[in-house]
Amino acid sequence: MAKTISDLSDITDFVINKGNGVKGLSELGLKSIPNQYIQPLEERISTMIMSQDSIPIIDMSNWNNPKVVESICSAAEKFGFFQLVNHGVPVEVLENVKEATHRFFLLPAEAKSKYSKERSPSNNVQYGTSFNPQAEKALEWKDFLGLYAYGDEHEVSAFWPPVCRDEVLEYMKKSEILTKRLVELLMRRLNVKEIDKAKEYLLMGAKRIQLNYYPICPNPELAVGNGRHSDISTLTILLQDDIGGLYVRRNDNGNDKDSGWIHVPPVKGSLVINIGDALQIISNGRYKSVEHRVAVNSSKNRVSIPIFVFPRPSEMISPLPEVLESGEKPVYKSVLFSDYVKHFFAKPHNGKTTIEFAKI
Ligand SMILES: COc1cc(/C=C/C(=O)SCCNC(=O)CCNC(=O)[C@H](O)C(C)(C)COP(=O)(O)OP(=O)(O)OC[C@H]2O[C@@H](n3cnc4c(N)ncnc43)[C@H](O)[C@@H]2OP(=O)(O)O)ccc1O
Ligand SMILES: O=C(O)CCC(=O)C(=O)O
Ligand SMILES: [Fe+2]
């Protein structure tokens, strides 16, 4: 028999402490979502104004072709988001990591909660729900497994859950060339000729892969899967399944016609790429880290798998000298990346506000 909310004396205890996640809540067959998940009117997807625009879909088969380079760099400047097809990561690897994500979330609550922040055997693994449940006024309808990686892949993955470890490692490995190509071509446009070790640590010194799970929601119009935020990465490589729900803020160039939210439709075999705050800072605002959010739905469980590529926590990030050499004034100051990370995780998702931390 379907449970009612009053049967669940304490949602927080059920979802967070007992490790059932929103998935557990979704599977109770509730007729409506608990109050804790009801978003204020202005945050609901139903109140969004839609843009007529679309995010570019770029064929990367000839990645060094000047036209392809131009499309990528101008999408990074104009939209902060683009989709790639023929990107070189085998479709089978993408399918396997999506399946592995479903496998992890199908585990019983006790098995998943072994990786919760309080119980995880390592800082490299974290199972959780919403973004920052302690600080949020309304919780996000999302569970996640975060896997943090830098250094030797076998060492970092030693504590990752065995049901998804190999597939995640393969996805990370097979996407490495793509990451390097993207970083190189975006940097060339900024007058950076070579990615030496120092630049590698700054631009792609660490990674975090996140398995996101957005369960079926009885009131999708009242909830969000992921609140408005920009990523703090240099680049994010995002794999989404065929369900859809990702919306990106159209860069508002002071022209009403251009504003609103753009849906990023699933394209078979594609990867979504977005610029994060670290690259917006490093490029002195040339490349845009754009606000995005995720809607949930009432018929299908959705998964998405971002790889956040970011500076090593010990790196100072600031606009590159190569960008400023023509006399351009820096818009951002130098900040320690781990301070930036802590600032991001200390508050709820709140649109594009994190980057204020680095503004001069
Ligand atoms: C969940 O939904 C999300 C997630 C995201 C995620 C985007 C990214 O992950 S981008 C990459 C972020 N970088 C890392 O994950 C690095 C891992 N962290 C560290 O190495 C260290 O925490 C540090 C950044 C070097 C800081 O170390 P330290 O000075 O020792 O401070 P800590 O005690 O470790 O952390 C302070 C505070 O921040 C929280 N925190 C730090 N990193 C994460 C993280 N990756 N995930 C969650 N929380 C993190 C940490 O728990 C501490 O909080 P307390 O409450 O315990 O004080 C994007 C979008 C989404 O929707
Ligand atoms: O689920 C998605 O499509 C996007 C997820 C996202 O924005 C994130 O995890 O930072
Ligand atoms: Fe994101």
Side-chain angles (χ1 to χ4, degrees):
M1 198 177 66
K3 292 211 180 203
T4 61
I5 294 173
S6 53
D7 293 332
L8 289 171
S9 53
D10 189 343
I11 296 286
T12 313
D13 186 55
F14 178 80
V15 174
I16 303 174
N17 305 344
K18 300 249 165 41
N20 290 291
V22 213
K23 182 172 183 289
L25 207 52
S26 165
E27 286 168 355
L28 291 176
L30 301 175
K31 294 268 181 301
S32 54
I33 56 173
N35 289 340
Q36 288 90 332
Y37 289 91
I38 300 182
Q39 293 290 328
L41 204 56
E42 66 278 11
E43 295 300 332
R44 295 185 198 160
I45 307 278
S46 54
T47 62
M48 277 181 349
I49 295 167
M50 290 306 199
S51 165
Q52 299 302 308
D53 250 319
S54 50
I55 298 299
I57 300 174
I58 302 169
D59 185 333
M60 247 202 122
S61 327
N62 299 316
W63 64 275
N64 228 350
N65 178 311
K67 281 193 184 145
V68 176
V69 173
E70 171 58 29
S71 317
I72 291 176
C73 294
S74 56
E77 289 174 358
K78 191 172 168 195
F79 294 97
F81 266 82
F82 47 96
Q83 301 215 57
L84 291 179
V85 291
N86 297 319
H87 40 63
V89 185
V91 174
E92 194 194 353
V93 172
L94 303 181
E95 290 307 314
N96 289 347
V97 75
K98 281 187 275 182
E99 273 171 31
T101 301
H102 281 282
R103 259 200 318 275
F104 174 77
F105 286 99
L106 274 173
L107 291 175
E110 311 81 71
K112 287 183 285 197
S113 59
K114 280 203 291 201
Y115 301 101
S116 69
K117 192 171 162 190
E118 294 70 28
R119 297 180 53 202
S120 179
S122 153
N123 289 340
N124 293 338
V125 193
Q126 191 193 338
Y127 164 65
T129 188
S130 196
F131 175 68
N132 185 345
Q134 283 73 33
E136 285 159 342
K137 289 207 183 84
L139 299 172
E140 297 176 344
W141 196 263
K142 169 193 78 171
D143 299 327
F144 69 90
L145 177 74
L147 303 167
Y148 178 56
Y150 78 89
D152 179 84
E153 75 176 37
H154 294 290
E155 262 170 47
V156 296
S157 65
F159 294 104
W160 293 5
V163 284
C164 57
R165 181 172 47 217
D166 292 349
E167 292 79 4
V168 169
L169 276 175
E170 191 63 5
Y171 175 38
M172 289 186 77
K173 202 151 93 200
K174 288 285 172 6
S175 61
E176 226 156 71
I177 296 179
L178 171 64
T179 306
K180 286 196 172 136
R181 280 179 183 161
L182 288 171
V183 167
E184 263 168 37
L185 66 85
L186 288 164
M187 285 298 119
R188 245 185 283 141
R189 173 94 141 203
L190 301 180
N191 274 332
V192 175
K193 311 252 162 10
E194 196 206 333
I195 309 290
D196 56 16
K197 267 281 167 243
K199 287 264 177 359
E200 193 180 314
Y201 285 172
L202 173 69
L203 298 163
M204 47 186 158
K207 281 181 192 155
R208 169 178 159 134
I209 187 159
Q210 187 156 297
L211 314 186
N212 288 325
Y213 192 90
Y214 305 95
I216 289 172
C217 177
N219 300 114
E221 70 292 353
L222 302 179
V224 296
N226 223 315
R228 290 181 298 115
H229 69 284
S230 62
D231 293 346
I232 57 173
S233 49
T234 41
L235 280 183
T236 303
I237 297 182
L238 174 81
L239 170 63
Q240 63 168 334
D241 65 15
D242 57 357
I243 292 163
L246 171 62
Y247 291 86
V248 172
R249 172 87 83 180
R250 174 72 172 93
N251 241 337
D252 189 349
N253 300 319
N255 181 349
D256 271 356
K257 183 172 81 42
D258 285 346
S259 64
W261 291 85
I262 308 174
H263 186 236
V264 183
V267 172
K268 217 174 166 38
S270 72
L271 287 167
V272 179
I273 310 295
N274 66 283
I275 305 300
D277 293 354
L279 188 50
Q280 176 163 332
I281 294 168
I282 286 166
S283 69
N284 203 31
R286 182 145 178 192
Y287 296 131
K288 309 289 186 310
S289 167
V290 172
E291 216 181 346
H292 51 286
R293 65 203 319 201
V294 178
V296 286
N297 74 83
S298 58
S299 57
K300 285 183 170 159
N301 298 311
R302 174 175 185 265
V303 298
S304 77
I305 305 150
I307 300 179
F308 301 106
V309 178
F310 54 92
R312 290 212 164 182
S314 54
E315 289 291 323
M316 297 297 294
I317 59 166
S318 62
L320 289 171
E322 289 88 338
V323 178
L324 303 179
E325 70 195 3
S326 60
E328 194 175 311
K329 289 264 173 311
V331 182
Y332 303 102
K333 59 189 176 199
S334 185
V335 294
L336 180 66
F337 190 65
S338 64
D339 287 345
Y340 198 85
V341 173
K342 281 191 270 183
H343 176 68
F344 175 66
F345 283 111
K347 52 187 190 48
H349 275 151
N350 188 15
K352 270 288 295 176
T353 53
T354 319
I355 207 157
E356 297 297 323
F357 185 72
K359 276 227 172 101
I360 287 180

PDB file of all heavy atoms in Angstrom, residues 219-246:
ATOM      1  N   ASN A 219       5.721  15.111  -8.219  1.00  0.00           N
ATOM      2  CA  ASN A 219       5.350  16.508  -8.551  1.00  0.00           C
ATOM      3  C   ASN A 219       6.528  17.232  -9.206  1.00  0.00           C
ATOM      4  O   ASN A 219       7.105  18.154  -8.611  1.00  0.00           O
ATOM      5  CB  ASN A 219       4.988  17.321  -7.283  1.00  0.00           C
ATOM      6  CG  ASN A 219       3.835  16.770  -6.515  1.00  0.00           C
ATOM      7  OD1 ASN A 219       4.002  16.326  -5.390  1.00  0.00           O
ATOM      8  ND2 ASN A 219       2.656  16.791  -7.128  1.00  0.00           N
ATOM      9  N   PRO A 220       6.888  16.862 -10.428  1.00  0.00           N
ATOM     10  CA  PRO A 220       8.076  17.489 -11.032  1.00  0.00           C
ATOM     11  C   PRO A 220       7.950  19.002 -11.164  1.00  0.00           C
ATOM     12  O   PRO A 220       8.953  19.713 -11.184  1.00  0.00           O
ATOM     13  CB  PRO A 220       8.176  16.818 -12.404  1.00  0.00           C
ATOM     14  CG  PRO A 220       6.890  16.151 -12.644  1.00  0.00           C
ATOM     15  CD  PRO A 220       6.246  15.885 -11.322  1.00  0.00           C
ATOM     16  N   GLU A 221       6.720  19.503 -11.220  1.00  0.00           N
ATOM     17  CA  GLU A 221       6.522  20.953 -11.403  1.00  0.00           C
ATOM     18  C   GLU A 221       6.882  21.737 -10.129  1.00  0.00           C
ATOM     19  O   GLU A 221       7.089  22.950 -10.190  1.00  0.00           O
ATOM     20  CB  GLU A 221       5.082  21.246 -11.869  1.00  0.00           C
ATOM     21  CG  GLU A 221       3.947  21.023 -10.861  1.00  0.00           C
ATOM     22  CD  GLU A 221       3.669  19.546 -10.463  1.00  0.00           C
ATOM     23  OE1 GLU A 221       4.271  18.632 -11.058  1.00  0.00           O
ATOM     24  OE2 GLU A 221       2.869  19.340  -9.531  1.00  0.00           O
ATOM     25  N   LEU A 222       6.971  21.037  -8.991  1.00  0.00           N
ATOM     26  CA  LEU A 222       7.273  21.738  -7.728  1.00  0.00           C
ATOM     27  C   LEU A 222       8.737  21.577  -7.303  1.00  0.00           C
ATOM     28  O   LEU A 222       9.199  22.264  -6.391  1.00  0.00           O
ATOM     29  CB  LEU A 222       6.392  21.186  -6.590  1.00  0.00           C
ATOM     30  CG  LEU A 222       4.875  21.258  -6.760  1.00  0.00           C
ATOM     31  CD1 LEU A 222       4.161  20.636  -5.554  1.00  0.00           C
ATOM     32  CD2 LEU A 222       4.439  22.712  -6.926  1.00  0.00           C
ATOM     33  N   ALA A 223       9.440  20.655  -7.945  1.00  0.00           N
ATOM     34  CA  ALA A 223      10.790  20.288  -7.474  1.00  0.00           C
ATOM     35  C   ALA A 223      11.859  20.681  -8.493  1.00  0.00           C
ATOM     36  O   ALA A 223      11.541  21.045  -9.622  1.00  0.00           O
ATOM     37  CB  ALA A 223      10.830  18.779  -7.257  1.00  0.00           C
ATOM     38  N   VAL A 224      13.138  20.612  -8.093  1.00  0.00           N
ATOM     39  CA  VAL A 224      14.228  20.655  -9.083  1.00  0.00           C
ATOM     40  C   VAL A 224      15.193  19.506  -8.801  1.00  0.00           C
ATOM     41  O   VAL A 224      15.326  19.065  -7.659  1.00  0.00           O
ATOM     42  CB  VAL A 224      15.059  21.982  -9.092  1.00  0.00           C
ATOM     43  CG1 VAL A 224      14.238  23.177  -9.484  1.00  0.00           C
ATOM     44  CG2 VAL A 224      15.821  22.204  -7.812  1.00  0.00           C
ATOM     45  N   GLY A 225      15.865  19.045  -9.859  1.00  0.00           N
ATOM     46  CA  GLY A 225      16.856  17.992  -9.711  1.00  0.00           C
ATOM     47  C   GLY A 225      18.196  18.590  -9.302  1.00  0.00           C
ATOM     48  O   GLY A 225      18.922  18.062  -8.456  1.00  0.00           O
ATOM     49  N   ASN A 226      18.498  19.714  -9.894  1.00  0.00           N
ATOM     50  CA  ASN A 226      19.736  20.427  -9.586  1.00  0.00           C
ATOM     51  C   ASN A 226      19.379  21.898  -9.680  1.00  0.00           C
ATOM     52  O   ASN A 226      18.889  22.347 -10.716  1.00  0.00           O
ATOM     53  CB  ASN A 226      20.787  20.076 -10.648  1.00  0.00           C
ATOM     54  CG  ASN A 226      22.153  19.823 -10.050  1.00  0.00           C
ATOM     55  OD1 ASN A 226      22.612  20.579  -9.195  1.00  0.00           O
ATOM     56  ND2 ASN A 226      22.801  18.777 -10.505  1.00  0.00           N
ATOM     57  N   GLY A 227      19.596  22.627  -8.597  1.00  0.00           N
ATOM     58  CA  GLY A 227      19.263  24.050  -8.596  1.00  0.00           C
ATOM     59  C   GLY A 227      20.216  24.848  -9.487  1.00  0.00           C
ATOM     60  O   GLY A 227      21.252  24.329  -9.923  1.00  0.00           O
ATOM     61  N   ARG A 228      19.859  26.119  -9.720  1.00  0.00           N
ATOM     62  CA  ARG A 228      20.681  26.981 -10.590  1.00  0.00           C
ATOM     63  C   ARG A 228      22.091  27.096 -10.023  1.00  0.00           C
ATOM     64  O   ARG A 228      22.275  27.455  -8.864  1.00  0.00           O
ATOM     65  CB  ARG A 228      20.086  28.391 -10.643  1.00  0.00           C
ATOM     66  CG  ARG A 228      18.785  28.517 -11.376  1.00  0.00           C
ATOM     67  CD  ARG A 228      18.292  29.953 -11.397  1.00  0.00           C
ATOM     68  NE  ARG A 228      18.039  30.453 -10.065  1.00  0.00           N
ATOM     69  CZ  ARG A 228      18.713  31.442  -9.499  1.00  0.00           C
ATOM     70  NH1 ARG A 228      19.691  32.038 -10.124  1.00  0.00           N
ATOM     71  NH2 ARG A 228      18.421  31.853  -8.279  1.00  0.00           N
ATOM     72  N   HIS A 229      23.079  26.783 -10.852  1.00  0.00           N
ATOM     73  CA  HIS A 229      24.470  26.912 -10.417  1.00  0.00           C
ATOM     74  C   HIS A 229      25.362  27.009 -11.638  1.00  0.00           C
ATOM     75  O   HIS A 229      24.943  26.697 -12.756  1.00  0.00           O
ATOM     76  CB  HIS A 229      24.896  25.688  -9.587  1.00  0.00           C
ATOM     77  CG  HIS A 229      25.003  24.419 -10.395  1.00  0.00           C
ATOM     78  ND1 HIS A 229      23.892  23.703 -10.815  1.00  0.00           N
ATOM     79  CD2 HIS A 229      26.077  23.748 -10.894  1.00  0.00           C
ATOM     80  CE1 HIS A 229      24.283  22.653 -11.526  1.00  0.00           C
ATOM     81  NE2 HIS A 229      25.612  22.658 -11.597  1.00  0.00           N
ATOM     82  N   SER A 230      26.599  27.463 -11.409  1.00  0.00           N
ATOM     83  CA  SER A 230      27.615  27.269 -12.448  1.00  0.00           C
ATOM     84  C   SER A 230      28.631  26.318 -11.843  1.00  0.00           C
ATOM     85  O   SER A 230      28.782  26.262 -10.613  1.00  0.00           O
ATOM     86  CB  SER A 230      28.254  28.604 -12.842  1.00  0.00           C
ATOM     87  OG  SER A 230      28.903  29.173 -11.733  1.00  0.00           O
ATOM     88  N   ASP A 231      29.317  25.541 -12.677  1.00  0.00           N
ATOM     89  CA  ASP A 231      30.322  24.605 -12.154  1.00  0.00           C
ATOM     90  C   ASP A 231      31.578  25.390 -11.788  1.00  0.00           C
ATOM     91  O   ASP A 231      31.848  26.446 -12.357  1.00  0.00           O
ATOM     92  CB  ASP A 231      30.644  23.538 -13.212  1.00  0.00           C
ATOM     93  CG  ASP A 231      29.449  22.622 -13.484  1.00  0.00           C
ATOM     94  OD1 ASP A 231      28.493  22.640 -12.697  1.00  0.00           O
ATOM     95  OD2 ASP A 231      29.487  21.890 -14.494  1.00  0.00           O
ATOM     96  N   ILE A 232      32.352  24.834 -10.851  1.00  0.00           N
ATOM     97  CA  ILE A 232      33.568  25.550 -10.442  1.00  0.00           C
ATOM     98  C   ILE A 232      34.806  25.024 -11.185  1.00  0.00           C
ATOM     99  O   ILE A 232      35.915  25.470 -10.950  1.00  0.00           O
ATOM    100  CB  ILE A 232      33.790  25.455  -8.911  1.00  0.00           C
ATOM    101  CG1 ILE A 232      33.851  23.991  -8.450  1.00  0.00           C
ATOM    102  CG2 ILE A 232      32.692  26.202  -8.175  1.00  0.00           C
ATOM    103  CD1 ILE A 232      34.243  23.865  -6.989  1.00  0.00           C
ATOM    104  N   SER A 233      34.586  24.092 -12.070  1.00  0.00           N
ATOM    105  CA  SER A 233      35.666  23.426 -12.805  1.00  0.00           C
ATOM    106  C   SER A 233      36.333  24.355 -13.824  1.00  0.00           C
ATOM    107  O   SER A 233      35.891  25.495 -14.024  1.00  0.00           O
ATOM    108  CB  SER A 233      35.045  22.247 -13.560  1.00  0.00           C
ATOM    109  OG  SER A 233      33.890  22.685 -14.266  1.00  0.00           O
ATOM    110  N   THR A 234      37.363  23.849 -14.510  1.00  0.00           N
ATOM    111  CA  THR A 234      37.807  24.538 -15.728  1.00  0.00           C
ATOM    112  C   THR A 234      36.862  24.117 -16.855  1.00  0.00           C
ATOM    113  O   THR A 234      36.241  24.957 -17.507  1.00  0.00           O
ATOM    114  CB  THR A 234      39.282  24.198 -16.090  1.00  0.00           C
ATOM    115  OG1 THR A 234      39.523  22.818 -15.877  1.00  0.00           O
ATOM    116  CG2 THR A 234      40.250  24.952 -15.255  1.00  0.00           C
ATOM    117  N   LEU A 235      36.720  22.810 -17.018  1.00  0.00           N
ATOM    118  CA  LEU A 235      35.782  22.257 -18.007  1.00  0.00           C
ATOM    119  C   LEU A 235      34.967  21.171 -17.341  1.00  0.00           C
ATOM    120  O   LEU A 235      35.476  20.479 -16.459  1.00  0.00           O
ATOM    121  CB  LEU A 235      36.561  21.516 -19.098  1.00  0.00           C
ATOM    122  CG  LEU A 235      37.230  22.234 -20.220  1.00  0.00           C
ATOM    123  CD1 LEU A 235      37.850  21.187 -21.149  1.00  0.00           C
ATOM    124  CD2 LEU A 235      36.244  23.101 -20.987  1.00  0.00           C
ATOM    125  N   THR A 236      33.733  20.998 -17.779  1.00  0.00           N
ATOM    126  CA  THR A 236      32.969  19.819 -17.368  1.00  0.00           C
ATOM    127  C   THR A 236      32.608  19.039 -18.624  1.00  0.00           C
ATOM    128  O   THR A 236      32.160  19.620 -19.616  1.00  0.00           O
ATOM    129  CB  THR A 236      31.689  20.222 -16.612  1.00  0.00           C
ATOM    130  OG1 THR A 236      32.038  21.020 -15.481  1.00  0.00           O
ATOM    131  CG2 THR A 236      30.909  19.004 -16.129  1.00  0.00           C
ATOM    132  N   ILE A 237      32.841  17.733 -18.556  1.00  0.00           N
ATOM    133  CA  ILE A 237      32.449  16.848 -19.658  1.00  0.00           C
ATOM    134  C   ILE A 237      31.259  16.054 -19.134  1.00  0.00           C
ATOM    135  O   ILE A 237      31.406  15.293 -18.175  1.00  0.00           O
ATOM    136  CB  ILE A 237      33.622  15.922 -20.011  1.00  0.00           C
ATOM    137  CG1 ILE A 237      34.768  16.811 -20.486  1.00  0.00           C
ATOM    138  CG2 ILE A 237      33.225  14.869 -21.046  1.00  0.00           C
ATOM    139  CD1 ILE A 237      35.979  16.120 -20.929  1.00  0.00           C
ATOM    140  N   LEU A 238      30.097  16.297 -19.706  1.00  0.00           N
ATOM    141  CA  LEU A 238      28.876  15.726 -19.135  1.00  0.00           C
ATOM    142  C   LEU A 238      28.245  14.712 -20.083  1.00  0.00           C
ATOM    143  O   LEU A 238      27.974  15.019 -21.245  1.00  0.00           O
ATOM    144  CB  LEU A 238      27.866  16.843 -18.851  1.00  0.00           C
ATOM    145  CG  LEU A 238      26.493  16.373 -18.381  1.00  0.00           C
ATOM    146  CD1 LEU A 238      26.504  16.052 -16.900  1.00  0.00           C
ATOM    147  CD2 LEU A 238      25.420  17.406 -18.659  1.00  0.00           C
ATOM    148  N   LEU A 239      28.007  13.532 -19.517  1.00  0.00           N
ATOM    149  CA  LEU A 239      27.272  12.498 -20.251  1.00  0.00           C
ATOM    150  C   LEU A 239      25.857  12.469 -19.690  1.00  0.00           C
ATOM    151  O   LEU A 239      25.673  12.318 -18.479  1.00  0.00           O
ATOM    152  CB  LEU A 239      27.972  11.155 -20.023  1.00  0.00           C
ATOM    153  CG  LEU A 239      27.249   9.906 -20.508  1.00  0.00           C
ATOM    154  CD1 LEU A 239      27.085   9.928 -22.021  1.00  0.00           C
ATOM    155  CD2 LEU A 239      28.030   8.651 -20.094  1.00  0.00           C
ATOM    156  N   GLN A 240      24.859  12.671 -20.559  1.00  0.00           N
ATOM    157  CA  GLN A 240      23.483  12.538 -20.066  1.00  0.00           C
ATOM    158  C   GLN A 240      22.825  11.362 -20.791  1.00  0.00           C
ATOM    159  O   GLN A 240      23.236  10.984 -21.884  1.00  0.00           O
ATOM    160  CB  GLN A 240      22.688  13.834 -20.238  1.00  0.00           C
ATOM    161  CG  GLN A 240      22.479  14.320 -21.655  1.00  0.00           C
ATOM    162  CD  GLN A 240      21.433  15.447 -21.764  1.00  0.00           C
ATOM    163  OE1 GLN A 240      20.529  15.571 -20.942  1.00  0.00           O
ATOM    164  NE2 GLN A 240      21.553  16.274 -22.796  1.00  0.00           N
ATOM    165  N   ASP A 241      21.790  10.795 -20.177  1.00  0.00           N
ATOM    166  CA  ASP A 241      21.083   9.705 -20.858  1.00  0.00           C
ATOM    167  C   ASP A 241      20.047  10.286 -21.822  1.00  0.00           C
ATOM    168  O   ASP A 241      20.101  11.484 -22.157  1.00  0.00           O
ATOM    169  CB  ASP A 241      20.499   8.698 -19.832  1.00  0.00           C
ATOM    170  CG  ASP A 241      19.428   9.310 -18.951  1.00  0.00           C
ATOM    171  OD1 ASP A 241      18.925  10.403 -19.287  1.00  0.00           O
ATOM    172  OD2 ASP A 241      19.073   8.704 -17.930  1.00  0.00           O
ATOM    173  N   ASP A 242      19.095   9.464 -22.273  1.00  0.00           N
ATOM    174  CA  ASP A 242      18.201   9.935 -23.343  1.00  0.00           C
ATOM    175  C   ASP A 242      16.903  10.557 -22.822  1.00  0.00           C
ATOM    176  O   ASP A 242      15.934  10.662 -23.559  1.00  0.00           O
ATOM    177  CB  ASP A 242      17.887   8.772 -24.297  1.00  0.00           C
ATOM    178  CG  ASP A 242      17.276   7.591 -23.556  1.00  0.00           C
ATOM    179  OD1 ASP A 242      17.158   7.675 -22.313  1.00  0.00           O
ATOM    180  OD2 ASP A 242      16.923   6.597 -24.194  1.00  0.00           O
ATOM    181  N   ILE A 243      16.894  10.977 -21.568  1.00  0.00           N
ATOM    182  CA  ILE A 243      15.637  11.461 -20.968  1.00  0.00           C
ATOM    183  C   ILE A 243      15.469  12.978 -21.066  1.00  0.00           C
ATOM    184  O   ILE A 243      14.381  13.485 -21.343  1.00  0.00           O
ATOM    185  CB  ILE A 243      15.516  10.940 -19.516  1.00  0.00           C
ATOM    186  CG1 ILE A 243      15.325   9.422 -19.592  1.00  0.00           C
ATOM    187  CG2 ILE A 243      14.358  11.603 -18.763  1.00  0.00           C
ATOM    188  CD1 ILE A 243      15.571   8.684 -18.331  1.00  0.00           C
ATOM    189  N   GLY A 244      16.542  13.715 -20.869  1.00  0.00           N
ATOM    190  CA  GLY A 244      16.473  15.177 -20.973  1.00  0.00           C
ATOM    191  C   GLY A 244      16.094  15.821 -19.654  1.00  0.00           C
ATOM    192  O   GLY A 244      15.591  15.164 -18.731  1.00  0.00           O
ATOM    193  N   GLY A 245      16.333  17.124 -19.552  1.00  0.00           N
ATOM    194  CA  GLY A 245      16.012  17.849 -18.315  1.00  0.00           C
ATOM    195  C   GLY A 245      17.030  18.938 -17.998  1.00  0.00           C
ATOM    196  O   GLY A 245      16.821  19.735 -17.082  1.00  0.00           O
ATOM    197  N   LEU A 246      18.134  18.988 -18.768  1.00  0.00           N
ATOM    198  CA  LEU A 246      19.152  20.013 -18.498  1.00  0.00           C
ATOM    199  C   LEU A 246      18.803  21.319 -19.232  1.00  0.00           C
ATOM    200  O   LEU A 246      18.539  21.301 -20.436  1.00  0.00           O
ATOM    201  CB  LEU A 246      20.527  19.497 -18.961  1.00  0.00           C
ATOM    202  CG  LEU A 246      21.697  20.490 -18.961  1.00  0.00           C
ATOM    203  CD1 LEU A 246      21.996  21.018 -17.551  1.00  0.00           C
ATOM    204  CD2 LEU A 246      22.956  19.839 -19.541  1.00  0.00           C
TER     205      LEU A 246
END
